[in-house]
PDB file of all heavy atoms in Angstrom:
ATOM      1  N   LEU A  87       7.295   5.771 -22.762  1.00 96.00           N
ATOM      2  CA  LEU A  87       7.468   5.320 -21.381  1.00 96.00           C
ATOM      3  C   LEU A  87       7.863   6.441 -20.374  1.00 96.00           C
ATOM      4  O   LEU A  87       7.287   6.467 -19.380  1.00 96.00           O
ATOM      5  CB  LEU A  87       8.541   4.262 -21.316  1.00 96.00           C
ATOM      6  CG  LEU A  87       8.169   2.949 -22.103  1.00 96.00           C
ATOM      7  CD1 LEU A  87       9.447   1.947 -22.007  1.00 96.00           C
ATOM      8  CD2 LEU A  87       6.909   2.384 -21.438  1.00 96.00           C
ATOM      9  N   ILE A  88       8.678   7.371 -20.946  1.00 95.00           N
ATOM     10  CA  ILE A  88       9.032   8.528 -20.028  1.00 95.00           C
ATOM     11  C   ILE A  88       7.814   9.345 -19.833  1.00 95.00           C
ATOM     12  O   ILE A  88       7.674   9.713 -18.603  1.00 95.00           O
ATOM     13  CB  ILE A  88      10.169   9.327 -20.733  1.00 95.00           C
ATOM     14  CG1 ILE A  88      11.451   8.653 -20.688  1.00 95.00           C
ATOM     15  CG2 ILE A  88      10.360  10.656 -19.993  1.00 95.00           C
ATOM     16  CD1 ILE A  88      12.646   9.261 -21.555  1.00 95.00           C
ATOM     17  N   ALA A  89       7.057   9.672 -20.744  1.00 94.00           N
ATOM     18  CA  ALA A  89       5.863  10.492 -20.595  1.00 94.00           C
ATOM     19  C   ALA A  89       4.833   9.788 -19.589  1.00 94.00           C
ATOM     20  O   ALA A  89       4.229  10.452 -18.625  1.00 94.00           O
ATOM     21  CB  ALA A  89       5.067  10.703 -21.861  1.00 94.00           C
ATOM     22  N   LEU A  90       4.664   8.481 -19.775  1.00 94.00           N
ATOM     23  CA  LEU A  90       3.705   7.675 -18.906  1.00 94.00           C
ATOM     24  C   LEU A  90       4.268   7.674 -17.413  1.00 94.00           C
ATOM     25  O   LEU A  90       3.351   7.786 -16.474  1.00 94.00           O
ATOM     26  CB  LEU A  90       3.351   6.393 -19.502  1.00 94.00           C
ATOM     27  CG  LEU A  90       2.513   6.477 -20.790  1.00 94.00           C
ATOM     28  CD1 LEU A  90       2.553   5.179 -21.533  1.00 94.00           C
ATOM     29  CD2 LEU A  90       1.110   6.847 -20.432  1.00 94.00           C
ATOM     30  N   PHE A  91       5.486   7.307 -17.272  1.00 93.00           N
ATOM     31  CA  PHE A  91       6.077   7.163 -15.966  1.00 93.00           C
ATOM     32  C   PHE A  91       6.074   8.527 -15.374  1.00 93.00           C
ATOM     33  O   PHE A  91       5.916   8.712 -13.968  1.00 93.00           O
ATOM     34  CB  PHE A  91       7.407   6.494 -15.972  1.00 93.00           C
ATOM     35  CG  PHE A  91       7.347   5.114 -16.348  1.00 93.00           C
ATOM     36  CD1 PHE A  91       8.647   4.582 -16.905  1.00 93.00           C
ATOM     37  CD2 PHE A  91       6.427   4.308 -16.128  1.00 93.00           C
ATOM     38  CE1 PHE A  91       8.584   3.216 -17.127  1.00 93.00           C
ATOM     39  CE2 PHE A  91       6.361   3.028 -16.618  1.00 93.00           C
ATOM     40  CZ  PHE A  91       7.511   2.428 -17.026  1.00 93.00           C
ATOM     41  N   GLU A  92       6.353   9.608 -16.012  1.00 91.00           N
ATOM     42  CA  GLU A  92       6.320  10.985 -15.348  1.00 91.00           C
ATOM     43  C   GLU A  92       4.872  11.301 -14.972  1.00 91.00           C
ATOM     44  O   GLU A  92       4.739  12.015 -13.963  1.00 91.00           O
ATOM     45  CB  GLU A  92       6.797  12.113 -16.410  1.00 91.00           C
ATOM     46  CG  GLU A  92       6.708  13.381 -15.986  1.00 91.00           C
ATOM     47  CD  GLU A  92       7.565  13.726 -14.815  1.00 91.00           C
ATOM     48  OE1 GLU A  92       8.516  12.927 -14.548  1.00 91.00           O
ATOM     49  OE2 GLU A  92       7.188  14.699 -14.025  1.00 91.00           O
ATOM     50  N   CYS A  93       3.915  10.918 -15.730  1.00 88.00           N
ATOM     51  CA  CYS A  93       2.427  11.142 -15.309  1.00 88.00           C
ATOM     52  C   CYS A  93       2.290  10.341 -14.071  1.00 88.00           C
ATOM     53  O   CYS A  93       1.669  10.866 -13.009  1.00 88.00           O
ATOM     54  CB  CYS A  93       1.513  10.648 -16.364  1.00 88.00           C
ATOM     55  SG  CYS A  93      -0.284  10.689 -15.967  1.00 88.00           S
ATOM     56  N   TYR A  94       2.773   9.157 -13.803  1.00 87.00           N
ATOM     57  CA  TYR A  94       2.548   8.465 -12.649  1.00 87.00           C
ATOM     58  C   TYR A  94       3.367   8.973 -11.489  1.00 87.00           C
ATOM     59  O   TYR A  94       2.903   9.034 -10.420  1.00 87.00           O
ATOM     60  CB  TYR A  94       2.986   6.920 -12.933  1.00 87.00           C
ATOM     61  CG  TYR A  94       2.482   5.929 -11.774  1.00 87.00           C
ATOM     62  CD1 TYR A  94       1.159   5.509 -11.880  1.00 87.00           C
ATOM     63  CD2 TYR A  94       3.253   5.525 -10.782  1.00 87.00           C
ATOM     64  CE1 TYR A  94       0.708   4.701 -10.949  1.00 87.00           C
ATOM     65  CE2 TYR A  94       2.760   4.700  -9.853  1.00 87.00           C
ATOM     66  CZ  TYR A  94       1.577   4.249  -9.991  1.00 87.00           C
ATOM     67  OH  TYR A  94       0.794   3.422  -9.000  1.00 87.00           O
ATOM     68  N   ARG A  95       4.563   9.528 -11.788  1.00 87.00           N
ATOM     69  CA  ARG A  95       5.299  10.205 -10.733  1.00 87.00           C
ATOM     70  C   ARG A  95       4.539  11.341 -10.208  1.00 87.00           C
ATOM     71  O   ARG A  95       4.546  11.588  -8.953  1.00 87.00           O
ATOM     72  CB  ARG A  95       6.684  10.709 -11.291  1.00 87.00           C
ATOM     73  CG  ARG A  95       7.647  11.352 -10.306  1.00 87.00           C
ATOM     74  CD  ARG A  95       8.855  11.786 -10.833  1.00 87.00           C
ATOM     75  NE  ARG A  95       8.509  13.188 -11.529  1.00 87.00           N
ATOM     76  CZ  ARG A  95       8.645  14.218 -10.987  1.00 87.00           C
ATOM     77  NH1 ARG A  95       8.741  14.423  -9.619  1.00 87.00           N
ATOM     78  NH2 ARG A  95       8.319  15.406 -11.624  1.00 87.00           N
ATOM     79  N   GLN A  96       3.793  12.201 -11.016  1.00 83.00           N
ATOM     80  CA  GLN A  96       3.075  13.244 -10.582  1.00 83.00           C
ATOM     81  C   GLN A  96       1.988  12.928  -9.499  1.00 83.00           C
ATOM     82  O   GLN A  96       1.563  13.614  -8.773  1.00 83.00           O
ATOM     83  CB  GLN A  96       2.432  13.991 -11.696  1.00 83.00           C
ATOM     84  CG  GLN A  96       3.512  14.668 -12.589  1.00 83.00           C
ATOM     85  CD  GLN A  96       2.841  15.205 -13.871  1.00 83.00           C
ATOM     86  OE1 GLN A  96       1.641  15.623 -13.919  1.00 83.00           O
ATOM     87  NE2 GLN A  96       3.708  15.516 -14.919  1.00 83.00           N
ATOM     88  N   VAL A  97       1.424  11.595  -9.743  1.00 79.00           N
ATOM     89  CA  VAL A  97       0.391  11.140  -8.682  1.00 79.00           C
ATOM     90  C   VAL A  97       1.104  11.092  -7.301  1.00 79.00           C
ATOM     91  O   VAL A  97       0.417  11.452  -6.448  1.00 79.00           O
ATOM     92  CB  VAL A  97       0.001   9.699  -9.126  1.00 79.00           C
ATOM     93  CG1 VAL A  97      -1.033   9.260  -8.043  1.00 79.00           C
ATOM     94  CG2 VAL A  97      -0.622   9.731 -10.453  1.00 79.00           C
ATOM     95  N   HIS A  98       2.265  10.762  -7.224  1.00 75.00           N
ATOM     96  CA  HIS A  98       3.018  10.599  -5.837  1.00 75.00           C
ATOM     97  C   HIS A  98       3.426  12.054  -5.429  1.00 75.00           C
ATOM     98  O   HIS A  98       3.411  12.284  -4.250  1.00 75.00           O
ATOM     99  CB  HIS A  98       4.240   9.814  -6.013  1.00 75.00           C
ATOM    100  CG  HIS A  98       3.907   8.361  -6.160  1.00 75.00           C
ATOM    101  ND1 HIS A  98       3.599   7.446  -5.255  1.00 75.00           N
ATOM    102  CD2 HIS A  98       3.985   7.527  -7.374  1.00 75.00           C
ATOM    103  CE1 HIS A  98       3.455   6.256  -5.669  1.00 75.00           C
ATOM    104  NE2 HIS A  98       3.641   6.321  -6.964  1.00 75.00           N
ATOM    105  N   THR A  99       3.583  12.975  -6.390  1.00 76.00           N
ATOM    106  CA  THR A  99       4.163  14.298  -5.831  1.00 76.00           C
ATOM    107  C   THR A  99       3.037  15.282  -5.542  1.00 76.00           C
ATOM    108  O   THR A  99       3.184  16.367  -5.073  1.00 76.00           O
ATOM    109  CB  THR A  99       5.088  14.937  -6.901  1.00 76.00           C
ATOM    110  OG1 THR A  99       4.339  15.024  -8.155  1.00 76.00           O
ATOM    111  CG2 THR A  99       6.396  14.032  -7.239  1.00 76.00           C
ATOM    112  N   VAL A 100       1.710  14.931  -5.843  1.00 73.00           N
ATOM    113  CA  VAL A 100       0.626  15.715  -5.546  1.00 73.00           C
ATOM    114  C   VAL A 100       0.566  15.845  -3.945  1.00 73.00           C
ATOM    115  O   VAL A 100       0.422  14.897  -3.263  1.00 73.00           O
ATOM    116  CB  VAL A 100      -0.754  15.260  -5.958  1.00 73.00           C
ATOM    117  CG1 VAL A 100      -1.836  15.851  -5.394  1.00 73.00           C
ATOM    118  CG2 VAL A 100      -0.844  15.356  -7.548  1.00 73.00           C
ATOM    119  N   ALA A 101       0.867  16.969  -3.510  1.00 60.00           N
ATOM    120  CA  ALA A 101       0.840  17.274  -1.985  1.00 60.00           C
ATOM    121  C   ALA A 101       1.702  16.232  -1.346  1.00 60.00           C
ATOM    122  O   ALA A 101       1.484  15.728  -0.326  1.00 60.00           O
ATOM    123  CB  ALA A 101      -0.580  17.183  -1.400  1.00 60.00           C
ATOM    124  N   TYR A 102       2.893  16.015  -1.935  1.00 57.00           N
ATOM    125  CA  TYR A 102       3.904  15.154  -1.498  1.00 57.00           C
ATOM    126  C   TYR A 102       3.402  13.779  -0.961  1.00 57.00           C
ATOM    127  O   TYR A 102       3.602  13.232   0.016  1.00 57.00           O
ATOM    128  CB  TYR A 102       4.622  15.804  -0.140  1.00 57.00           C
ATOM    129  CG  TYR A 102       5.292  17.051  -0.424  1.00 57.00           C
ATOM    130  CD1 TYR A 102       4.763  18.230  -0.239  1.00 57.00           C
ATOM    131  CD2 TYR A 102       6.606  17.002  -0.981  1.00 57.00           C
ATOM    132  CE1 TYR A 102       5.287  19.499  -0.555  1.00 57.00           C
ATOM    133  CE2 TYR A 102       7.232  18.282  -1.319  1.00 57.00           C
ATOM    134  CZ  TYR A 102       6.588  19.281  -1.101  1.00 57.00           C
ATOM    135  OH  TYR A 102       7.272  20.503  -1.359  1.00 57.00           O
ATOM    136  N   GLY A 103       2.672  13.152  -2.130  1.00 63.00           N
ATOM    137  CA  GLY A 103       2.242  11.858  -1.854  1.00 63.00           C
ATOM    138  C   GLY A 103       0.899  11.769  -1.067  1.00 63.00           C
ATOM    139  O   GLY A 103       0.665  10.559  -0.542  1.00 63.00           O
ATOM    140  N   ALA A 104       0.269  12.799  -0.946  1.00 63.00           N
ATOM    141  CA  ALA A 104      -0.913  12.751   0.057  1.00 63.00           C
ATOM    142  C   ALA A 104      -1.944  11.705  -0.375  1.00 63.00           C
ATOM    143  O   ALA A 104      -2.458  11.039   0.536  1.00 63.00           O
ATOM    144  CB  ALA A 104      -1.571  14.089   0.004  1.00 63.00           C
TER     145      ALA A 104
END
Side-chain angles (χ1 to χ4, degrees):
L87 295 179
I88 290 173
L90 289 166
F91 290 158
E92 175 59 25
C93 176
Y94 197 78
R95 186 185 74 85
Q96 291 174 23
V97 177
H98 290 279
T99 56
V100 168
Y102 299 99

